[in-house]
Amino acid sequence: EEEKHKYVKGKKLGEGTYANVYLGHLVTSPSTLVAIKKIKIQAAYTEGLAPDAIRELKHLQELSHPNIISLLSVFSSKDQNLNLVLEYLPLGDLEMLIKDTEGVRYGAADIKAWMGMLGRGVWWCHENFVLHRDIKPNNLLIAADGEVKLADFGLARSFSDPYRIMTSNVITRWYRPPELLFGAKHYSGAVDIWSVGLVFAELIIRTPYIAGDSEVQQISLICQAIGTPSEDVWPGVSKLPEYTVPEPPTPVRGKDHYLATFGTAGHEGVDVLMGMLVLDPRKRITAREILEHSWWSSDPKPTKNEDLPRKG
Ligand code: ADP
């Protein structure tokens, strides 16, 4: 009741599937800008997202980190809509930069800086037992100072109870890991790491790396690009509820293959990428291991925020 009177709602900034987003500011400080995200409860409910979204908002409110969007306040308006007051991030998202191949030029040092920010944000989520579950370039927003922040925590959920059965119908298809495509009910932070790997790959080649137009095709493209999940490389995989792979199986790609496509990331960058795209989630690199990798201290050093490329 109190909270909604602290903010003034301004012009519409954009529209998403489940929300309209407005610019806003503090009543007491008109220069303190915020983004007010008005969730379309009706639309969200028919998709079964609302109960989750509301219950899990507390996670975002508790996660305070430079690479995670801050949730300043939550209130409901008289139309019963749920309003999220978020940090205002005016410089767009990584998808805009990736797609603007004419206007935006960037290199290995810039990618390393963005991956560092993404890695630290994901590490902090996992350290606090929160899965993001929808990491993709369009959910990585850019602050005025160039900092990249994980946003759109609608699907975020705690994994502190590992035996809680979770739905596998999460994560935008292109960024969805094989364990979810095979219908695994128990999963871990490794789901986010797979998505981070695909963001890394996309930053390098500037086009989505594994872009299936159905779940079946997504699995088939993973087999081609990475290798076929089998009992040899991933014990237990064939027992997953929706396990099916195309014949004949493709061997898991080696470093030569990755160097040919992603060589601009350097040897150590390619090692990190390969660690993220390991099929067996138990063997996939963790957020902590990513941050401890020697890639960060090898050349080139990550670009400083103020020197990062921006949208035109
Ligand atoms: P989508 O993820 O489908 O883009 P969202 O509902 O998350 O939908 O956001 C809709 C649009 O609102 C975004 O494309 C972006 O332009 C804008 N937007 C969202 N969050 C913020 C924010 N924190 N600061 C500034 N603009 C935002």
Side-chain angles (χ1 to χ4, degrees):
E1 202 46 47
E2 268 278 83
E3 284 297 312
K4 74 178 90 174
H5 302 298
K6 278 168 53 180
Y7 303 95
V8 181
K9 195 169 90 183
K11 66 163 187 182
K12 192 164 164 179
L13 288 172
E15 183 160 0
T17 325
Y18 302 110
N20 287 322
V21 181
Y22 301 87
L23 183 62
H25 63 82
L26 265 176
V27 172
T28 53
S29 162
S31 62
T32 306
L33 300 178
V34 295
I36 302 177
K37 189 164 181 171
K38 212 175 159 91
I39 311 271
K40 302 167 188 165
I41 287 284
Q42 215 55 39
Y45 251 111
T46 46
E47 300 284 331
L49 282 179
D52 253 12
I54 297 162
R55 179 158 16 96
E56 305 305 330
L57 278 170
K58 61 173 194 288
H59 294 309
L60 182 48
Q61 262 184 305
E62 286 160 10
L63 282 180
S64 174
H65 187 275
N67 301 112
I68 297 174
I69 191 168
S70 354
L71 177 59
L72 304 165
S73 175
V74 181
F75 61 84
S76 59
S77 39
K78 51 179 171 291
D79 50 9
Q80 303 258 302
N81 276 331
L82 185 66
N83 292 260
L84 309 187
V85 182
L86 295 155
E87 181 178 7
Y88 176 56
L89 301 173
L91 293 189
D93 55 57
L94 279 187
E95 184 185 39
M96 296 169 52
L97 295 182
I98 290 169
K99 281 190 169 164
D100 188 1
T101 49
E102 292 293 308
V104 179
R105 241 151 253 239
Y106 60 75
D110 306 316
I111 294 174
K112 196 184 271 191
W114 288 322
M115 288 304 298
M117 296 188 263
L118 174 53
R120 291 189 291 277
V122 172
W123 169 78
W124 189 243
C125 286
H126 291 181
E127 202 68 6
N128 289 282
F129 307 103
V130 171
L131 300 183
H132 184 284
R133 307 201 308 173
D134 200 16
I135 293 171
K136 53 182 171 179
N138 145 279
N139 284 342
L140 300 171
L141 302 187
I142 306 170
D145 64 359
E147 204 68 24
V148 166
K149 305 199 180 219
L150 270 168
D152 241 337
F153 275 75
L155 295 169
R157 163 178 272 199
S158 170
F159 60 96
S160 49
D161 176 0
Y163 296 106
R164 195 163 141 189
I165 291 178
M166 302 194 262
T167 164
S168 37
N169 189 24
V170 296
I171 310 195
T172 308
R173 191 191 313 114
W174 298 347
Y175 305 91
R176 207 180 292 164
E179 63 270 29
L180 292 185
L181 291 164
F182 293 146
K185 298 291 189 295
H186 302 289
Y187 51 82
S188 68
V191 300
D192 287 335
I193 301 298
W194 179 272
S195 309
V196 169
L198 287 169
V199 171
F200 187 10
E202 186 168 338
L203 279 166
I204 299 168
I205 62 177
R206 298 193 76 157
T207 192
Y209 183 44
I210 309 182
D213 55 25
S214 67
E215 292 200 16
V216 169
Q217 202 203 6
Q218 189 67 24
I219 292 170
S220 150
L221 293 178
I222 289 174
C223 295
Q224 280 172 42
I226 318 262
T228 301
S230 66
E231 287 292 325
D232 294 341
V233 296
W234 177 356
V237 66
S238 64
K239 309 277 187 317
L240 289 174
E242 287 151 57
Y243 176 74
T244 38
V245 289
E247 286 289 345
T250 317
V252 172
R253 303 279 190 179
K255 187 158 177 184
D256 288 356
H257 171 80
Y258 284 88
L259 280 171
T261 313
F262 304 105
T264 52
H267 270 271
E268 307 224 68
V270 164
D271 287 337
V272 173
L273 176 63
M274 288 178 71
M276 294 168 171
L277 297 181
V278 166
L279 294 167
D280 182 344
R282 282 167 302 193
K283 298 177 192 143
R284 212 170 284 153
I285 195 170
T286 65
R288 176 183 291 271
E289 287 164 350
I290 292 168
L291 299 187
E292 287 167 350
H293 200 276
S294 52
W295 182 41
W296 307 107
S297 49
S298 71
D299 282 331
K301 298 291 185 284
T303 306
K304 294 198 286 291
N305 280 6
E306 60 268 31
D307 300 327
L308 282 169
R310 297 160 178 249
K311 62 173 170 151

